[in-house]
């Protein structure tokens, strides 16, 4: 009897997952093989920089600004996450304006963020002229999280590991494919 109940529960989860829409990036569902997703991005004027089993890097434009994209597959090779890191502006006012512009656009599309944090830790504060230094030192947190049935979008200002300059990153996580990865991982635990 337990096996029958478990079978129906598993079948129900699979049917719900199959019926659920996928989160989209540039109107491309975050789903399917990494290679197909890359091809779709290339058709949207993104240029492939590097491709490996861990993911693929591309460069193009998002909201009119230059951005580096990193496409992350789950262990089955299906795309589950997409990160977009914008080129870092050279001053805090430009970075802050870009953050708020993206925040407003994301809120227009997905509704108000479920979480919004905009703070600096002492001895730093907004308006002291040392905001970029604070962010480089990890003494500032500018973050927003948007949640939908299809997935989660994280917007943050973080230190870009390539340039060591604070820049904006958007991380799109597809609910269905991330859940599938959690299921796969749980089998190993």
């Amino acid at each position: 009897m337990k096996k029958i109940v478990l079978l129906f529960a598993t079948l129900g989860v699979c049917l719900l997952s199959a019926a659920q829409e996928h989160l989209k990036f540039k109107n491309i569902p975050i789903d399917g093989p990494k290679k197909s997703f890359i091809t779709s991005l290339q058709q949207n004027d993104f240029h492939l920089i590097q491709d490996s089993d861990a993911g693929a890097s591309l460069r193009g434009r998002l909201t009119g600004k230059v951005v580096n994209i990193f496409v992350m597959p789950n262990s089955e090779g299906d795309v589950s996450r997409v990160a977009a890191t914008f080129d870092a502006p050279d001053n805090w006012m430009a970075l802050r304006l870009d953050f708020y512009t993206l925040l407003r656009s994301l809120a227009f599309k997905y509704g108000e963020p479920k979480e919004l944090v905009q703070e600096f830790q002492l001895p730093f504060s907004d308006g002291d002229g040392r905001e970029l230094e604070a962010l480089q030192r990890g003494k500032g947190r500018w973050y927003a999280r948007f949640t939908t049935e299809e997935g989660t979008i994280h917007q943050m200002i973080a230190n870009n590991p390539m340039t060591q300059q604070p820049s904006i990153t958007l991380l799109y996580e597809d609910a269905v494919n991330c859940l599938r990865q959690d299921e796969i991982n749980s089998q190993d635990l």
Side-chain angles (χ1 to χ4, degrees):
M1 183 66 167
K2 286 182 182 178
K3 289 183 180 178
I4 292 172
V5 171
L6 183 60
L7 175 66
F8 280 114
T10 304
L11 181 61
V13 168
C14 291
L15 289 175
L16 284 174
S17 294
Q20 188 174 8
E21 296 271 332
H22 290 275
L23 188 62
K24 293 179 181 175
F25 177 80
K26 295 278 295 176
N27 251 353
I28 305 164
I30 300 175
D31 188 34
K34 179 182 63 156
K35 187 173 182 103
S36 298
F37 193 83
I38 292 168
T39 299
S40 296
L41 284 174
Q42 289 174 317
Q43 291 169 352
N44 279 280
D45 294 327
F46 281 86
H47 305 283
L48 184 64
I49 307 291
Q50 184 179 15
D51 190 6
S52 70
D53 290 342
S57 297
L58 297 99
R59 190 155 171 87
R61 294 183 89 66
L62 184 65
T63 66
K65 296 194 177 280
V66 177
V67 67
N68 290 307
I69 303 294
F70 191 68
V71 178
M72 295 165 264
N74 61 22
S75 61
E76 294 179 321
D78 289 331
V79 176
S80 58
R81 293 178 173 91
V82 177
T85 301
F86 292 82
D87 283 356
D90 58 359
N91 66 69
W92 169 243
M93 295 306 284
L95 183 59
R96 184 177 174 185
L97 177 62
D98 288 348
F99 182 88
Y100 284 125
T101 300
L102 285 170
L103 184 69
R104 188 175 56 246
S105 296
L106 288 167
F108 180 81
K109 185 170 184 175
Y110 299 109
E112 290 302 311
K114 299 294 183 211
E115 182 179 4
L116 179 60
V117 178
Q118 302 164 71
E119 64 186 15
F120 290 101
Q121 296 173 3
L122 292 175
F124 301 98
S125 64
D126 194 7
D128 68 3
R130 299 173 48 208
E131 297 91 352
L132 293 178
E133 179 186 351
L135 292 163
Q136 287 172 321
R137 291 181 169 197
K139 298 287 187 180
R141 186 164 179 240
W142 286 68
Y143 172 81
R145 178 176 48 88
F146 297 85
T147 304
T148 70
E149 289 183 17
E150 295 83 21
T152 304
I153 302 96
H154 306 268
Q155 176 188 355
M156 65 203 86
I157 297 177
N159 228 20
N160 183 329
M162 303 295 281
T163 64
Q164 297 303 312
Q165 297 296 318
S167 60
I168 297 171
T169 296
L170 299 176
L171 174 62
Y172 292 73
E173 297 180 310
D174 179 68
V176 174
N177 289 325
C178 287
L179 177 62
R180 177 68 186 133
Q181 185 62 54
D182 291 341
E183 291 171 359
I184 292 167
N185 291 347
S186 71
Q187 294 171 7
D188 283 343
L189 300 174

